[in-house]
Amino acid sequence: NAGVTQTPKFQVLKTGQSMTLQCAQDMNHEYMSWYRQDPGMGLRLIHYSVGAGITDQGEVPNGYNVSRSTTEDFPLRLLSAAPSQTSVYFCASSYSNKQGSEQYFGPGTRLTVT
Amino acid sequence: AQSVTQLDSQVPVFEEAPVELRCNYSSSVSVYLFWYVQYPNQGLQLLLKYLSGSTLVKGINGFEAEFNKSQTSFHLRKPSVHISDTAEYFCAVTLLIQGAQKLVFGQGTRLTINP
């Protein structure tokens, strides 16, 4: 199994541009989520999905959209990039959304918005 | 509300010395606690977790953590560190909102091992 994969690894955008961060998992996990990591702030939840066709907002959803058309894929879209969205983005998945389920993380996408 | 506080942002130690990384949480309900490790330029990897049962939890790479309900702590320890333990360590607690599990992370502790 490849686990959780993310593309691209690095990306530079200009303010106002849009892009999609890709995330895929091959473990047949129902629960997927997106986090952003900023220095001194740990990881903060952006959006999550408890199954195909179901998504919901996390702690910091503004400026991001998600969709979950298949179990495997959970892309994160930036509609109009802003410098405040410069961060490292992690996708994660787990077998279920029950408390205690281990989340598996992808390698991350480092995004810079100029 | 549940939150997690990691008391030290950076911890430098010498190789083969013991280390303790501190984590405190606040919660009014039962909690599930995790420690994740992030090696340089990589994603997060689970070190260990506490769900129930024995309060002393053993994880990978020789790490262990003790759940202390009265002190609301879940400190991570290793008796003798190695250069390869240099990484950032995150404590996390699960939050169940509207039937969905969410992980709430602490700010992270950067562990630096000096030869």
Side-chain angles (χ1 to χ4, degrees):
Chain A
N1 287 351
V4 181
T5 57
Q6 291 183 238
T7 56
K9 285 195 166 113
F10 302 94
Q11 182 70 50
V12 179
L13 291 178
K14 292 187 187 317
T15 297
Q17 286 185 314
S18 63
M19 81 158 294
T20 299
L21 279 62
Q22 301 292 343
C23 173
Q25 52 91 9
D26 61 359
M27 298 175 281
N28 201 30
H29 285 172
E30 288 296 319
Y31 184 85
M32 296 184 75
S33 52
W34 276 102
Y35 296 86
R36 59 176 290 172
Q37 181 181 25
D38 302 291
M41 302 186 76
L43 279 77
R44 292 179 292 168
L45 183 65
I46 305 172
H47 286 285
Y48 66 95
S49 168
V50 299
I54 308 169
T55 64
D56 207 344
Q57 296 182 350
E59 185 185 352
V60 288
N62 292 342
Y64 307 95
N65 275 358
V66 291
S67 59
R68 184 97 180 268
S69 55
T70 66
T71 299
E72 294 77 20
D73 300 298
F74 191 44
L76 178 73
R77 278 183 286 278
L78 281 72
L79 304 175
S80 178
S84 60
Q85 294 178 304
T86 293
S87 187
V88 182
Y89 291 84
F90 289 99
C91 179
S93 73
S94 64
Y95 177 72
S96 79
N97 65 344
K98 288 186 169 40
Q99 281 189 294
S101 293
E102 176 183 351
Q103 291 203 24
Y104 294 82
F105 286 81
T109 294
R110 187 174 295 272
L111 175 68
T112 302
V113 183
T114 60
Chain B
Q2 291 171 303
S3 68
V4 179
T5 302
Q6 291 182 245
L7 298 162
D8 305 295
S9 59
Q10 296 189 59
V11 174
V13 296
F14 287 106
E15 195 172 14
E16 298 183 7
V19 69
E20 178 180 81
L21 305 184
R22 297 180 292 170
C23 173
N24 285 88
Y25 66 92
S26 64
S27 172
S28 58
V29 296
S30 297
V31 294
Y32 299 89
L33 294 153
F34 300 78
W35 274 100
Y36 282 86
V37 60
Q38 183 181 29
Y39 298 106
N41 300 313
Q42 293 186 29
L44 277 71
Q45 178 183 354
L46 182 69
L47 263 182
L48 48 80
K49 62 181 177 182
Y50 172 78
L51 303 183
S52 64
S54 173
T55 56
L56 184 63
V57 181
K58 293 192 184 296
I60 62 171
N61 300 339
F63 284 93
E64 63 181 32
E66 184 154 22
F67 170 60
N68 188 319
K69 188 174 181 179
S70 63
Q71 297 188 3
T72 60
S73 67
F74 191 53
H75 300 334
L76 182 70
R77 302 185 183 101
K78 185 168 182 178
S80 176
V81 296
H82 190 266
I83 291 282
S84 59
D85 293 322
T86 295
E88 189 149 23
Y89 293 79
F90 292 94
C91 184
V93 62
T94 56
L95 184 65
L96 197 63
I97 296 180
Q98 296 175 331
Q101 174 191 219
K102 299 179 186 177
L103 269 181
V104 177
F105 285 87
Q107 303 92 324
T109 298
R110 187 170 298 278
L111 177 63
T112 304
I113 312 300
N114 298 308

